Amino acid sequence: MTDSVQILELNAFHSASAPTDPSSHLSRRLKNFGAASVLFYREPIEMVSASGSWIMAADGRRYLDFYNNVPSVGHCHPRIVAAVASQMSKININTRYLCAVVDDYLDRLKNTLPRSLSNVIMTCSGSEANDLALRIAAKASGGTGFVVTENAYHGNTRYVTEISPAAQKTAVRPNCVATIPAPSEGGSVGEEFAKNLRTAIRMLESRQQKFAGFICDSIFSSDGIFSDPAGFLKLAVTETRKAEGVFIADEVQPGFARSGESFWGFERHGITPDIVTMGKPMGNGFPMAAMATRPDLLERFCEDIGYFNTFGGNPVAAAAGLAVLDVIEEEGLQQNALRIGKYLKERLAEAARSRVLIGAVRGAGLFLGVDICRDGKPDAATTSNVINRLRDNGILVGAAGRTASTLKLRPPLCLTTTEADIFVDALDDALSS
């Protein structure tokens, strides 16, 4: 078994605690999903409605959502709801036909990206986007080997699962995948990270695997949230290109203004990826994702096989995406992420000075990680207890990191100072219970 802790397993409801009443909602879910069922918390919650940063449960309890970064501009935002309903009432078709809203969206999206990434392929999920990115990188480089961080998660297709250690229950990985530690903290983080990447590339070569590329989520979400210092990724990207590999920026979690300082996570590091993948918050709950790349890379890939996605890029998804971009701009949500994120981080740092169970506080904007420790060491059991105490107090959070001992905080970008205070006060209470 791997020495890392499975994050989903840590915070999951275990079927051994299933109710005896076969007609209960929980029993029906476990029967329908079987072994693939993943429900959060020791006591699963039935959700029925949501608005802004809050979700309402069937029992009338409200929960402050600090976890679900899909509805990033706020749950059930009326602008997105209206855009989806309006477009669905007109037409929803695939991309074999021209439909203005699709190209209106892509033109707007490309305005946020480096000019070199002028070709965009729409998909339905980040997994599909990353799967396509890996195939394009392999074709462009002529290689088969990829480097990822030790607890990376990039999706759930067969190809992408191979490069997602966080999703794997054993330490056995294919020869075409080499892992490196998450970025360390300190002044030489960039040099150390690039050095580890060089070592991994040599390891792939020793296995007769030509290096194809390096893929990372630019805030290292599953590894425990490592964002600073801004710019440290530059050296790793340089090493990737020296070795004739492709750099893929997985922006499924850090993208769309979440870091506050920039619209995309990679922008904080002053780098231009060869490929960018995106998803989750893109449609604020409507399933959509995409991959952006240079035309020369896409042309080379399409010489052999090409790509088409029946539902990817449908007009309803494009309408949702356009509404999301409008809301981020018009409601100043990137600026809000920067301002409220700074306030929240300062309050958490203050709490860390008086609470021995809090270790480091890391992150950028409204994407923060809080290490939970006992006797100065990461402690997954204590983290799980804190998460479930927060749940009991009406706060939803998740976990991250190899030891699953980091609280992962991704509240909606519309978060207020009052809601930030509610969270910090609840965390303080959970740590003292």
Side-chain angles (χ1 to χ4, degrees):
M1 294 293 289
T2 177
D3 58 357
S4 64
V5 178
Q6 274 251 302
I7 294 169
L8 287 178
E9 287 294 321
L10 175 77
N11 297 304
F13 167 80
H14 293 288
S15 57
S17 306
T20 55
D21 179 5
S23 66
S24 73
H25 195 163
L26 179 55
S27 294
R28 289 165 55 212
R29 168 58 63 85
L30 296 174
K31 182 179 179 180
N32 287 331
F33 277 61
S37 175
V38 178
L39 289 164
F40 285 141
Y41 304 111
R42 293 166 185 163
E43 295 182 31
I45 310 170
E46 181 181 353
M47 299 300 193
V48 295
S49 62
S51 178
S53 299
W54 297 85
I55 310 179
M56 182 71 75
D59 62 4
R61 184 82 183 273
R62 276 206 323 162
Y63 291 88
L64 178 59
D65 189 0
F66 258 63
Y67 182 65
N68 296 287
N69 73 318
V70 175
S72 65
V73 303
H75 284 276
C76 302
H77 194 291
R79 287 283 295 279
I80 287 83
V81 172
V84 168
S86 175
Q87 185 60 50
M88 182 64 88
S89 72
K90 297 172 186 173
I91 188 171
N92 199 28
I93 196 68
N94 62 57
T95 53
R96 293 190 191 275
Y97 303 92
L98 293 174
C99 194
V101 67
V102 175
D103 290 289
D104 289 344
Y105 174 65
L106 293 178
D107 287 341
R108 280 281 300 283
L109 180 68
K110 284 164 57 176
N111 284 341
T112 71
L113 291 163
R115 292 184 65 183
S116 59
L117 306 180
S118 60
N119 283 172
V120 182
I121 302 299
M122 300 287 287
T123 65
C124 301
S125 69
S127 296
E128 290 177 320
N130 279 329
D131 188 283
L132 179 59
L134 296 180
R135 292 160 63 193
I136 289 173
K139 176 64 176 178
S141 63
T144 53
F146 287 92
V147 177
V148 296
T149 49
E150 289 176 335
N151 209 54
Y153 178 77
H154 295 290
N156 58 21
T157 68
R158 179 176 179 178
Y159 198 4
V160 177
T161 298
E162 288 184 347
I163 63 155
S164 298
Q168 300 162 7
K169 296 185 179 181
T170 71
V172 178
R173 297 190 183 96
N175 282 337
C176 60
V177 179
T179 62
I180 58 177
S184 58
E185 296 180 278
S188 61
V189 56
E191 291 85 350
E192 185 69 21
F193 194 64
K195 177 184 174 184
N196 289 335
L197 179 58
R198 283 196 301 273
T199 300
I201 292 171
R202 288 196 294 269
M203 183 181 296
L204 287 171
E205 291 169 347
S206 73
R207 301 173 186 167
Q208 309 304 309
Q209 300 285 333
K210 186 178 187 305
F211 178 54
F214 167 52
I215 176 172
C216 74
D217 147 6
S218 55
I219 205 163
F220 299 88
S221 312
S222 297
D223 290 287
I225 298 97
F226 295 93
S227 58
D228 296 314
F232 80 78
L233 262 179
K234 282 184 179 180
L235 292 176
V237 175
T238 298
E239 289 297 329
T240 299
R241 289 172 177 154
K242 270 187 190 175
E244 300 181 340
V246 171
F247 172 58
I248 303 168
D250 181 342
E251 293 286 322
V252 170
Q253 295 198 61
F256 290 89
R258 181 155 288 280
S259 75
E261 297 171 39
S262 57
F263 194 85
W264 300 106
F266 64 80
E267 287 183 283
R268 295 184 66 250
H269 294 285
I271 52 181
T272 298
D274 299 299
I275 302 174
V276 173
T277 58
M278 60 198 83
K280 293 189 191 298
M282 203 170 176
N284 206 59
F286 193 92
M288 63 184 300
M291 183 223 66
T293 190
R294 302 196 313 265
D296 61 301
L297 297 184
L298 187 58
E299 286 170 9
R300 202 175 311 174
F301 173 75
C302 288
E303 287 171 358
D304 289 341
I305 192 165
Y307 185 83
F308 176 73
N309 189 310
T310 300
F311 293 106
N314 69 75
V316 175
L322 264 174
V324 167
L325 294 180
D326 286 340
V327 170
I328 290 173
E329 181 179 349
E330 293 170 16
E331 297 185 7
L333 294 187
Q334 182 173 325
Q335 295 80 1
N336 193 65
L338 182 64
R339 181 175 63 87
I340 303 297
K342 180 181 178 183
Y343 174 77
L344 178 59
K345 194 174 183 181
E346 287 172 350
R347 283 223 55 196
L348 290 168
E350 180 184 345
R353 288 191 283 272
S354 59
R355 289 292 180 189
V356 295
L357 291 179
I358 298 181
V361 177
R362 296 181 298 275
L366 286 174
F367 204 144
L368 301 177
V370 180
D371 288 343
I372 302 298
C373 305
R374 186 171 290 281
D375 300 324
K377 297 179 180 178
D379 191 280
T382 300
T383 305
S384 181
N385 287 336
V386 169
I387 288 171
N388 280 279
R389 286 173 191 155
L390 284 168
R391 176 250 190 249
D392 293 341
N393 288 329
I395 310 286
L396 307 179
V397 300
R402 282 194 77 197
T403 57
S405 57
T406 300
L407 299 180
K408 181 162 66 170
L409 312 180
R410 303 171 303 183
L413 303 184
C414 57
L415 193 78
T416 66
T417 52
T418 299
E419 291 165 341
D421 287 335
I422 290 171
F423 169 76
V424 178
D425 292 343
L427 177 61
D428 188 66
D429 181 65
L431 292 169
S432 61
S433 343

